[in-house]
Amino acid sequence: MNRAEAAEACADRARVRDREATRQRILDSARELFTSSGYAQVSSRMIAAHAGVNVALINRYFGAKRGLLAEVIASEAVFPGIFEGDVQTLPRRLAEYMVRRFNEEGTPLQRALEHSGSDPDLQTVYQERLRNAIIDPLADYIGGPDARVRASLVASLLVGVTVLRRSGGAASLAGQDPTAMVRRLEHCIAACLDTEVG
Amino acid sequence: MNRAEAAEACADRARVRDREATRQRILDSARELFTSSGYAQVSSRMIAAHAGVNVALINRYFGAKRGLLAEVIASEAVFPGIFEGDVQTLPRRLAEYMVRRFNEEGTPLQRALEHSGSDPDLQTVYQERLRNAIIDPLADYIGGPDARVRASLVASLLVGVTVLRRSGGAASLAGQDPTAMVRRLEHCIAACLDTEVG
DNA sequence: TTGACAAGTCAACACTGTTTACTTATACCG
DNA sequence: CGGTATAAGTAAACAGTGTTGACTTGTCAA
């Protein structure tokens, strides 16, 4: 049994030195832990231990803990496939997506955001993501006058609903009949998207 | 010059021992610092130093840093005077309030919430406040069928707008003509409040 | 005046993210 | 093949966090 085989057979100790593989291990561990426990609750040392890696490597490869999160966030889709289809039915699709997420415990990354969406450390990362992955694509998709304003309003509503999700307010939202809730949310989203308001 | 006078003249050092006064000093310092810098950015030791008080007293009087924040938050009005007036014009008043806050740098406590709204430590406090000070009063005020659901939707929108405030999305919201923005927001809020949808 | 009890202090705890100086494995080149 | 440059990985420390328990000290009642 040569060196490489030994390393492969016993991956946890005396691993082969592989920058990219190590980076990936850290990234995977971070995603898993952030997702299940939230950003602030997971320490650098916890991530390192989970990845079987030295703590210092986090800062070596990602600059700082925040950089690690940025990369994790960047790798997740926000509204998978929501922009494929008629603009007319966008409110319906968004509403359905949100309600589904509501009753489905949400997608992994969204949960991490819910836990610590406005954590000071995250704010930059979060805002950038909000703009690049939600508001801008949404504005491009809907078009028309004041597209960015209208897109921002929709984003506000979605973000707000997400924030309220686990709170007392969420109880009054989550407990509802899904189809009624979809209709309601669709109505609100459509109102946010209206070009003429007055 | 007796002892009390000396203490009063030179309040910073050798203060008279007064539980309530000390508590209040801590509370005031916390409000000021949380407001200007956000919860997570202000350490217990900073608050204690600002109040001219020993760090340990924070935990003695408020259990923990979080308890201090809870008390600060509890002492602030969320929508001052917004529930006085006709229900019909509530959307207008809320919209005006939000837009005013938007361009006015916001009220002090709201800023602290914006900074660290979902900080893990704050989450419980924040959610409780959201329910007790926004959703429940709003639901009582608007009445009608599904009052809590409709109130939660409005709250979602307001929370979302607040979260977006400083982000890239905020730029597209804050830069707008205030009166147009009020009309737009009023339209959305009214839609959230609608009893019949679709 | 003297206790008792509260108010206030101090130093330590375990933990955080981050940095620095160090060791060690790998891959290339003469 | 052997030596070496370079990168990967490590250990220990840093300054900071919130929090705690044992301690001292001021104040007020008996």
Side-chain angles (χ1 to χ4, degrees):
Chain A
M1 191 190 243
N2 66 25
R3 194 64 149 289
E5 282 169 18
E8 196 173 350
C10 178
D12 289 328
R13 44 180 64 251
R15 236 183 352 276
V16 143
R17 292 187 166 186
D18 182 337
R19 182 186 174 91
E20 223 40 57
T22 303
R23 237 189 87 99
Q24 198 57 49
R25 289 170 60 89
I26 296 173
L27 209 50
D28 291 343
S29 296
R31 188 194 335 273
E32 185 179 332
L33 295 176
F34 286 165
T35 292
S36 60
S37 311
Y39 176 77
Q41 284 81 4
V42 177
S43 74
S44 300
R45 283 171 178 83
M46 287 166 76
I47 298 170
H50 187 274
V53 139
N54 191 283
V55 207
L57 291 184
I58 289 180
N59 290 63
R60 169 186 279 280
Y61 288 139
F62 301 93
K65 195 189 169 193
R66 153 190 3 214
L68 187 44
L69 179 93
E71 202 144 326
V72 169
I73 287 186
S75 70
E76 299 256 338
V78 180
F79 296 135
I82 211 81
F83 296 141
E84 295 157 15
D86 192 1
V87 187
Q88 222 63 23
T89 60
L90 174 69
R92 180 55 165 261
R93 294 200 304 278
L94 275 177
E96 278 169 350
Y97 177 75
M98 291 304 286
V99 170
R100 200 180 325 129
R101 252 189 40 198
F102 224 96
N103 299 319
E104 254 181 17
E105 283 279 305
T107 68
L109 211 278
Q110 294 290 351
R111 290 194 54 203
L113 286 180
E114 283 166 36
H115 288 192
S116 23
S118 328
D119 196 282
D121 212 30
L122 300 196
Q123 206 142 29
T124 320
V125 172
Y126 184 48
Q127 289 170 1
E128 202 173 302
R129 185 67 176 162
L130 198 57
R131 188 173 56 243
N132 295 339
I134 301 187
I135 296 176
D136 285 351
L138 200 56
D140 287 348
Y141 180 73
I142 62 177
D146 298 320
R148 258 187 81 85
V149 177
R150 292 182 290 134
S152 295
L153 280 174
V154 173
S156 294
L157 186 58
L158 300 186
V159 165
V161 167
T162 303
V163 169
L164 254 70
R165 190 162 174 274
R166 303 177 166 251
S167 80
S172 58
L173 286 180
Q176 300 303 308
D177 167 42
T179 67
M181 199 60 222
V182 167
R183 268 209 313 277
R184 222 175 247 295
L185 206 49
E186 180 187 356
H187 181 69
C188 298
I189 293 172
C192 292
L193 288 175
D194 279 343
T195 51
E196 294 300 323
V197 292
Chain B
M1 191 191 245
N2 67 24
R3 193 64 149 290
E5 281 169 19
E8 196 172 351
C10 180
D12 288 329
R13 44 179 66 252
R15 233 179 359 272
V16 141
R17 291 189 166 187
D18 182 338
R19 183 188 174 88
E20 222 41 56
T22 303
R23 237 188 88 98
Q24 198 57 50
R25 288 169 61 89
I26 296 173
L27 209 51
D28 290 344
S29 295
R31 188 194 335 272
E32 185 179 332
L33 294 176
F34 285 165
T35 292
S36 60
S37 311
Y39 175 77
Q41 283 79 6
V42 176
S43 73
S44 300
R45 283 170 177 83
M46 288 167 75
I47 298 170
H50 186 275
V53 137
N54 193 283
V55 207
L57 292 184
I58 289 180
N59 289 62
R60 168 186 281 278
Y61 288 139
F62 300 93
K65 193 189 170 195
R66 151 190 7 211
L68 188 45
L69 178 94
E71 203 144 325
V72 169
I73 287 186
S75 70
E76 299 255 338
V78 180
F79 296 135
I82 211 83
F83 296 142
E84 296 158 14
D86 192 1
V87 187
Q88 222 63 24
T89 59
L90 174 70
R92 180 54 165 261
R93 294 200 304 279
L94 275 177
E96 279 169 348
Y97 177 74
M98 292 304 287
V99 170
R100 201 180 324 129
R101 253 189 39 199
F102 225 95
N103 298 320
E104 255 181 17
E105 283 278 306
T107 67
L109 210 278
Q110 294 290 351
R111 290 194 53 205
L113 287 180
E114 284 167 36
H115 288 192
S116 22
S118 328
D119 196 281
D121 214 29
L122 299 198
Q123 204 144 30
T124 320
V125 173
Y126 184 48
Q127 288 171 0
E128 201 173 303
R129 184 69 176 160
L130 198 56
R131 189 174 57 243
N132 295 339
I134 302 188
I135 296 177
D136 285 350
L138 200 57
D140 288 348
Y141 180 73
I142 61 177
D146 297 322
R148 259 187 80 86
V149 176
R150 292 182 290 136
S152 295
L153 280 174
V154 173
S156 293
L157 185 58
L158 301 185
V159 165
V161 166
T162 302
V163 169
L164 253 72
R165 190 163 175 273
R166 301 175 168 254
S167 79
S172 58
L173 285 180
Q176 300 302 308
D177 168 40
T179 68
M181 200 57 222
V182 167
R183 268 209 313 278
R184 221 176 248 294
L185 206 48
E186 180 187 354
H187 181 69
C188 298
I189 293 172
C192 293
L193 288 176
D194 279 342
T195 51
E196 294 300 322
V197 293

